[in-house]
Amino acid sequence: MCVATAGFGLGAAPASAFEIFGIRLFEDANAVDPDAVIADPQPYSVVVTVNADSALESVVRNASALVADAGEPASGAAGLLAKARGDYRRIVAALYNEGYYGGTVSIRVGGQEAAKLAPDVNLPDPVDVALVVDPGPLFRFNSVNIINQAQPTSDPWDQVPQPMTEGFGTGQIARSSVILRAETLALEAWRQQGYPKAEIATRDVVADHQSTTVDVTITVQPGPKAAFGDVTVTGTERMDPAFVRRQTGLAVGEEYDPDALVRAQKRLDRLEVFRAARLEAADKVGADGLLPYTLIVQELPGARFGFGATYASIDGLGLEAYHLWRNLFGQAERLRLDARVASIAFPIETDKFDYMFGGTFTKPGLLTPDTDLVAAISAERTVYPKYTETSASGKLGLSHFLSDQITVSGGLQFERNRFDDSFGTRDFATAGLYSEGTFDFRNDSVDATSGFYVQGTLDPFYEFRYGNAGARATLEARTYFGFGDNDAYVLAGRLKAGVLLGPSLAEIPPDKLFFAGGGGSVRGYGFKSIGVDNGTGTVTGGRYLLEGSLEARAKVTDTIGVVGFVDGGYVAADVFPGLSDLRIGAGAGVRYYTGLGPLRLDVAVPLNKKAGDSDYAVYVGIGQAF
């Protein structure tokens, strides 16, 4: 099986090229960027000598523009000398950051010190550049003081790490970045306790070259304590300024808290109506102790649409499109319509096509700035490997952001379905509740290298045709462990379990039963192809689900990675089957890392395939498999 996916948003592009997933395709390799043309090219070669270990040499090389740009000629002698003079500053700063305050830097261009050459000097073509660095002795902190340091607080939300825990202590290496970090922490400690205008009044750094020690004294001016003042909104066109102000969640008279500003910015971003939104504080706290803010916004266009396509060798072509209306009534309301036609294969058989059409209305800021009203309806006909579904459904509920990492949602839902499966043609009508909680503590939702993710659902329902009540619950957990330089190696694991309480399988809608298989489940098997064999060779869904995945990821280069994985899954009717019934898939893949996340290509094989299973499956997508 082969699966490929592509998606596009509407936009203009030159006839010779276009971009997809941030990658520019069909670009003329011979095209010349006029801004990159150098009128008087000055080629050069550079040799670096650092009288220290290889680690410090890497620091020097990374700081040098001469080294970084050695593959391209400079813009004349003046451009080369400007680059060299900038390297003096960059390399000295890099040495300070490593704790070396007595170093010397020599940059000789054509055998002469660059600092002494005139910009119009005649240089050989190419010219030799020698960069020689003697870092001198390593310096350590002797005396470190912060004057007017904020007192520790018992409020866990306002606590800030002490500078000494970040290396700012007697005997520690005197890195310049540690001094700057100490200043940042000193200011943040005051700001977390309600002092928005805290600033560094003086910084005294004295290096004693005889004792190779550094004395540091930082003086903080905390300024007045403050509370939030009024927020003035500018730049709105169709948006209601009063709604935008309320959506920040900043209340006049509430004690200043930088965390509240971060939450306000994220609330504004979640509205999806602004190209830019920026909160700017007034220059000073007013005599009333209030700090006013100006919120400057730039609105996005009111509508957008896009389209995409999928292809699978066993499922055929799929086409999908959407249209999104933003800010329908001035309070960031959104209406999105989606349509899909899939399973288009040759020869054309329209009775085997999949169809879907639906709409979702979202009203942000209902009751609280962190609560959204969501209403959705859809109609679809889908041909799955084990059943065909024709249905209409709808839901109405609320979604609430408890924090950046924790969200909960719940509400009412209903469905009207017709299924054609091993039990024949059956009609169902169900109504019930849905609820979901998500804990997302990953460092990256697309390419996580640390943290964990947990999601649970509980959906009680009542089916009217057969007069049965039931409930469906799932719990999924994922975790990630990165190690090596820049987390070049990652071990990832996933575990999912599900249970369905209710009547016999013959009286439960198949879409509420559990199936396994596919790219987000057990790779190597068809989508929803793993179920329960009723003893006659007929496969249905089950009451119980248990899935797991292990994946080892390694970056070969900055843009290329390889992956090995194994997936397994159970689907059971009433009791879990034996180990022999565990369906296992294994395989390998490659990743191409882009600014949007990794492009994924996985090839998997079923290790204990049964009749009707494919010999292999290929999966293509954006982001890691989980």
Side-chain angles (χ1 to χ4, degrees):
M1 184 181 85
C2 178
V3 180
T5 305
F8 305 87
L10 182 66
S16 60
F18 71 90
E19 289 189 6
I20 178 173
F21 307 145
I23 302 170
R24 196 165 179 82
L25 303 176
F26 306 125
E27 187 170 17
D28 183 0
N30 297 318
V32 177
D33 180 358
D35 293 333
V37 175
I38 298 175
D40 183 21
Q42 174 63 66
Y44 67 95
S45 61
V46 59
V47 176
V48 178
T49 303
V50 179
N51 298 323
D53 57 25
S54 59
L56 196 57
E57 180 176 338
S58 296
V59 169
V60 171
R61 287 182 173 274
N62 290 336
S64 170
L66 288 168
V67 173
D69 301 338
E72 298 292 335
S75 180
L80 179 60
L81 293 176
K83 204 180 299 260
R85 292 187 176 109
D87 266 7
Y88 286 114
R89 297 187 298 273
R90 285 184 285 266
I91 293 171
V92 168
L95 292 176
Y96 282 5
N97 191 45
E98 297 299 316
Y100 295 91
Y101 291 80
T104 59
V105 179
S106 173
I107 304 175
R108 301 182 72 84
V109 177
Q112 300 182 69
E113 196 65 37
K116 298 179 179 180
L117 291 175
D120 59 352
V121 65
N122 290 322
L123 298 176
D125 188 5
V127 64
D128 293 330
V129 177
L131 198 162
V132 181
V133 176
D134 184 352
L138 184 65
F139 282 63
R140 295 183 180 274
F141 289 122
N142 177 38
S143 172
V144 291
N145 296 285
I146 299 178
I147 299 175
N148 291 336
Q149 187 171 6
Q151 293 299 310
T153 175
S154 59
D155 187 341
W157 300 106
D158 290 343
Q159 290 176 358
V160 175
Q162 292 294 311
M164 66 177 60
T165 66
E166 304 288 320
F168 190 65
T170 300
Q172 299 293 321
I173 297 175
R175 304 179 191 274
S176 59
S177 59
V178 170
I179 300 173
L180 296 176
R181 175 64 174 160
E183 292 180 355
T184 299
L185 292 175
L187 294 177
E188 184 64 15
W190 279 109
R191 290 168 182 163
Q192 286 290 346
Q193 296 183 43
Y195 294 80
K197 295 301 182 179
E199 61 182 13
I200 301 298
T202 61
R203 176 205 302 140
D204 296 317
V205 181
V206 179
D208 187 331
H209 291 264
Q210 185 172 359
S211 62
T212 63
T213 60
V214 174
D215 295 333
V216 181
T217 299
I218 298 169
T219 303
V220 181
Q221 176 55 255
K225 194 168 185 175
F228 287 115
D230 193 23
V231 177
T232 302
V233 180
T234 65
T236 54
E237 298 175 6
R238 295 173 296 112
M239 286 289 293
D240 177 1
F243 170 79
V244 176
R245 182 185 304 109
R246 184 173 69 86
Q247 198 63 19
T248 65
L250 302 178
V252 175
E254 177 186 358
E255 181 179 301
Y256 171 86
D257 185 349
D259 297 332
L261 294 173
V262 173
R263 290 192 295 271
Q265 187 66 56
K266 291 182 178 179
R267 291 186 186 110
L268 296 170
D269 293 342
R270 284 202 303 264
L271 294 177
E272 299 180 13
V273 294
F274 298 126
R275 178 174 285 110
R278 186 176 76 256
L279 280 160
E280 289 188 355
D283 292 336
K284 61 182 179 179
V285 178
D288 55 2
L290 299 180
L291 179 63
Y293 274 83
T294 300
L295 174 56
I296 305 168
V297 301
Q298 182 181 6
E299 295 183 13
L300 286 166
R304 64 173 295 186
F305 66 89
F307 63 92
T310 64
Y311 177 76
S313 58
I314 61 174
D315 294 327
L317 175 67
L319 302 174
E320 57 190 52
Y322 74 87
H323 197 293
L324 174 67
W325 287 269
R326 297 188 182 96
N327 192 29
L328 292 175
F329 310 117
Q331 294 192 354
E333 302 89 347
R334 300 188 300 274
L335 176 62
R336 173 169 169 151
L337 300 181
D338 290 270
R340 183 180 72 247
V341 180
S343 298
I344 304 171
F346 185 82
I348 300 295
E349 297 179 80
T350 56
D351 60 330
K352 294 184 179 180
F353 283 7
D354 296 340
Y355 303 95
M356 190 283 294
F357 180 79
T360 302
F361 173 79
T362 303
K363 168 64 179 77
L366 184 74
L367 303 178
T368 79
D370 295 311
T371 307
D372 295 350
L373 171 71
V374 180
I377 57 172
S378 65
E380 66 175 288
R381 178 185 182 275
T382 306
V383 181
Y384 294 107
K386 304 306 179 185
Y387 66 90
T388 297
E389 174 185 4
T390 304
S391 67
S393 64
K395 70 176 184 178
L396 176 67
L398 300 176
S399 178
H400 184 73
F401 296 85
L402 291 173
S403 70
D404 295 339
Q405 296 82 21
I406 304 174
T407 59
V408 294
S409 61
L412 305 172
Q413 62 181 352
F414 66 91
E415 288 183 282
R416 181 72 171 85
N417 317 84
R418 170 166 290 180
F419 296 98
D420 295 288
D421 60 5
S422 59
F423 294 102
T425 298
R426 297 172 296 160
D427 293 330
F428 295 92
T430 60
L433 305 176
Y434 73 90
S435 60
E436 179 180 285
T438 301
F439 298 77
D440 191 349
F441 288 85
R442 297 171 294 180
N443 64 334
D444 189 316
S445 61
V446 177
D447 185 21
T449 59
S450 65
F452 66 91
Y453 171 95
V454 178
Q455 184 180 71
T457 66
L458 177 61
D459 304 336
F461 63 89
Y462 183 82
E463 200 285 307
F464 293 93
R465 183 172 178 82
Y466 292 94
N468 295 317
R472 189 178 194 268
T474 64
L475 182 64
E476 182 175 7
R478 308 171 189 174
T479 188
Y480 309 85
F481 301 94
F483 53 96
D485 293 339
N486 298 316
D487 290 330
Y489 305 96
V490 178
L491 292 178
R494 179 186 72 93
L495 189 65
K496 182 178 181 179
V499 61
L500 176 64
L501 304 176
S504 66
L505 298 184
E507 296 184 359
I508 298 177
D511 67 330
K512 296 192 180 302
L513 296 171
F514 292 105
F515 291 88
S521 175
V522 184
R523 285 167 283 188
Y525 298 86
F527 179 62
K528 287 193 172 184
S529 65
I530 300 174
V532 175
D533 191 330
N534 64 4
T536 65
T538 300
V539 176
T540 67
R543 291 183 186 279
Y544 304 99
L545 170 73
L546 184 62
E547 292 178 351
S549 299
L550 289 174
E551 194 164 276
R553 307 167 184 167
K555 273 192 172 183
V556 180
T557 69
D558 289 340
T559 56
I560 301 296
V562 295
V563 170
F565 59 85
V566 59
D567 302 331
Y570 274 129
V571 176
D574 294 302
V575 295
F576 277 107
L579 188 61
S580 61
D581 292 310
L582 175 65
R583 309 296 289 278
I584 301 175
V590 295
R591 303 289 185 265
Y592 179 76
Y593 294 90
T594 72
L596 296 176
L599 299 182
R600 180 177 77 253
L601 171 63
D602 288 338
V603 180
V605 295
L607 299 185
N608 52 346
K609 59 177 292 190
K610 295 186 178 181
D613 289 332
S614 299
D615 293 328
Y616 67 94
V618 178
Y619 305 92
V620 177
I622 300 179
Q624 300 288 0
F626 61 90

